[in-house]
């Protein structure tokens, strides 16, 4: 990785942001809470979403750049946000949030592990809450209006153009997630025969 950092210096100083695991978890927890409230009131989720106010200390600080690291860079110049979703604390997937397009891609190291419908349910909290997060931050008004005002962002399923070798052991999915993030940041591809080399290295991390 150090060799790649030296080779692609500009890519590693990019304006794109990398969020910690808590980012996706907090949005999912808030979404699940909202669904529970809708169920108890006997109304649809669409009825409550417009009234949602996000907790500044939990989520809005991410847009300002104070999370995951204090005094970090805000999202104002970012084109995309990269985050990792943890599934039951055992399997990890990379989420690519394309801010200017209002679109979400998912990168999975073990494609047969989950079907597209379950993957949709996993990403749904981000699709619904991200537009609200950006609007409430008051920092992202430079984005296209149709992106900020979308009821739900677009999700076309997992991205199949950059798939790593089959992850036979769930315990190494975190390492593959890091490999996905590195490729997305540097604009490099993981294709044959690099996949075999990466497979050998990652399996031993």
């Amino acid at each position: 990785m150090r060799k790649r950092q030296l080779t692609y210096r500009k890519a590693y100083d990019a304006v794109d942001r990398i969020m910690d695991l808590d980012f996706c978890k907090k949005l999912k927890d808030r979404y699940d809470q909202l669904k529970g409230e809708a169920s108890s009131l006997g109304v649809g989720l669409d009825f409550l979403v417009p009234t949602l106010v996000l907790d500044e200390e939990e989520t809005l600080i991410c847009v300002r750049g104070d999370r995951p690291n204090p005094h970090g860079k805000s999202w104002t110049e970012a084109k995309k946000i990269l985050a990792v979703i943890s599934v039951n604390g055992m399997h990890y997937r990379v989420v690519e949030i394309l801010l200017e397009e209002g679109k979400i891609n998912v990168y999975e190291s073990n494609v047969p592990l989950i079907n597209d419908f379950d993957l949709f349910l996993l990403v749904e909290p981000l699709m619904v809450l991200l537009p609200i997060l950006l609007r409430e931050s008051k920092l992202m008004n430079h984005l296209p209006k149709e992106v900020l005002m979308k009821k739900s962002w677009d999700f076309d399923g997992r991205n199949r153009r950059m798939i790593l070798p089959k992850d036979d052991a769930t315990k190494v999915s975190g390492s593959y997630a890091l490999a996905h993030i590195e490729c997305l940041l540097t604009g490099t591809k993981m294709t044959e025969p690099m996949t075999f080399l990466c497979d050998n290295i990652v399996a031993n991390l």
Side-chain angles (χ1 to χ4, degrees), residues 70-87:
H71 312 297
K73 295 180 180 179
S74 74
W75 291 12
T76 53
E77 297 181 5
K79 302 293 185 184
K80 61 187 173 187
I81 307 298
L82 300 174
V84 176
I85 291 182
S86 172
V87 183

Side-chain angles (χ1 to χ4, degrees), residues 2 20 96 99 122 170 178 192 203:
R2 178 59 177 165
D20 58 11
E96 180 187 36
L99 294 174
L122 186 68
T170 301
L178 293 177
E192 311 288 1

Side-chain angles (χ1 to χ4, degrees), residues 16-147:
D16 299 322
R17 305 289 179 262
I18 303 176
M19 304 308 299
D20 58 11
L21 282 170
D22 274 351
F23 175 70
C24 291
K25 183 180 183 302
K26 287 183 180 297
L27 287 179
K28 182 181 184 304
D29 290 346
R30 190 68 183 90
Y31 186 76
D32 290 344
Q33 179 186 355
L34 200 64
K35 287 179 66 175
E37 293 173 358
S39 177
S40 63
L41 293 173
V43 298
L45 188 62
D46 291 346
F47 180 79
L48 290 183
V49 167
T51 67
L52 176 64
V53 177
L54 294 175
D55 189 314
E56 181 175 4
E57 292 304 313
E58 286 188 336
T59 51
L60 296 182
I61 57 174
C62 298
V63 184
R64 293 202 304 263
D66 292 331
R67 189 186 182 98
N69 300 310
H71 312 297
K73 295 180 180 179
S74 74
W75 291 12
T76 53
E77 297 181 5
K79 302 293 185 184
K80 61 187 173 187
I81 307 298
L82 300 174
V84 176
I85 291 182
S86 172
V87 183
N88 299 323
M90 296 179 61
H91 192 80
Y92 301 91
R93 297 180 174 90
V94 172
V95 177
E96 180 187 36
I97 301 166
L98 303 176
L99 294 174
E100 294 183 343
E101 300 177 36
K103 184 177 180 180
I104 298 174
N105 291 323
V106 172
Y107 295 86
E108 165 68 64
S109 61
N110 194 343
V111 174
L113 190 65
I114 187 172
N115 60 52
D116 287 340
F117 179 72
D118 289 338
L119 197 59
F120 171 84
L121 294 179
L122 186 68
V123 180
E124 189 177 22
L126 299 179
M127 297 166 56
V128 174
L129 297 186
L130 273 171
I132 299 174
L133 174 64
L134 297 179
R135 291 197 301 270
E136 290 194 8
S137 73
K138 309 297 184 183
L139 295 175
M140 307 300 289
N141 291 335
H142 59 282
L143 293 178
K145 184 176 180 180
E146 59 269 22
V147 168

Side-chain angles (χ1 to χ4, degrees), residues 4 80 82 94-96 105-111 158-166 176-192 194-195 198:
R4 292 165 73 103
K80 61 187 173 187
L82 300 174
V94 172
V95 177
E96 180 187 36
N105 291 323
V106 172
Y107 295 86
E108 165 68 64
S109 61
N110 194 343
V111 174
R158 73 199 78 198
N159 192 307
R160 300 180 183 275
R161 290 175 297 175
M162 189 176 73
I163 297 176
L164 298 182
K166 184 174 183 285
Y176 278 120
L178 293 177
H180 270 129
I181 288 175
E182 186 183 22
C183 284
L184 289 167
L185 282 178
T186 59
T188 56
K189 294 181 179 180
M190 216 171 260
T191 56
E192 311 288 1
M194 291 176 62
T195 48
C198 177

Side-chain angles (χ1 to χ4, degrees), residues 5 7-15 185:
Q5 289 173 333
T7 304
Y8 303 99
R9 291 177 185 271
K10 291 183 179 180
Y12 281 95
D13 192 31
V15 295
L185 282 178

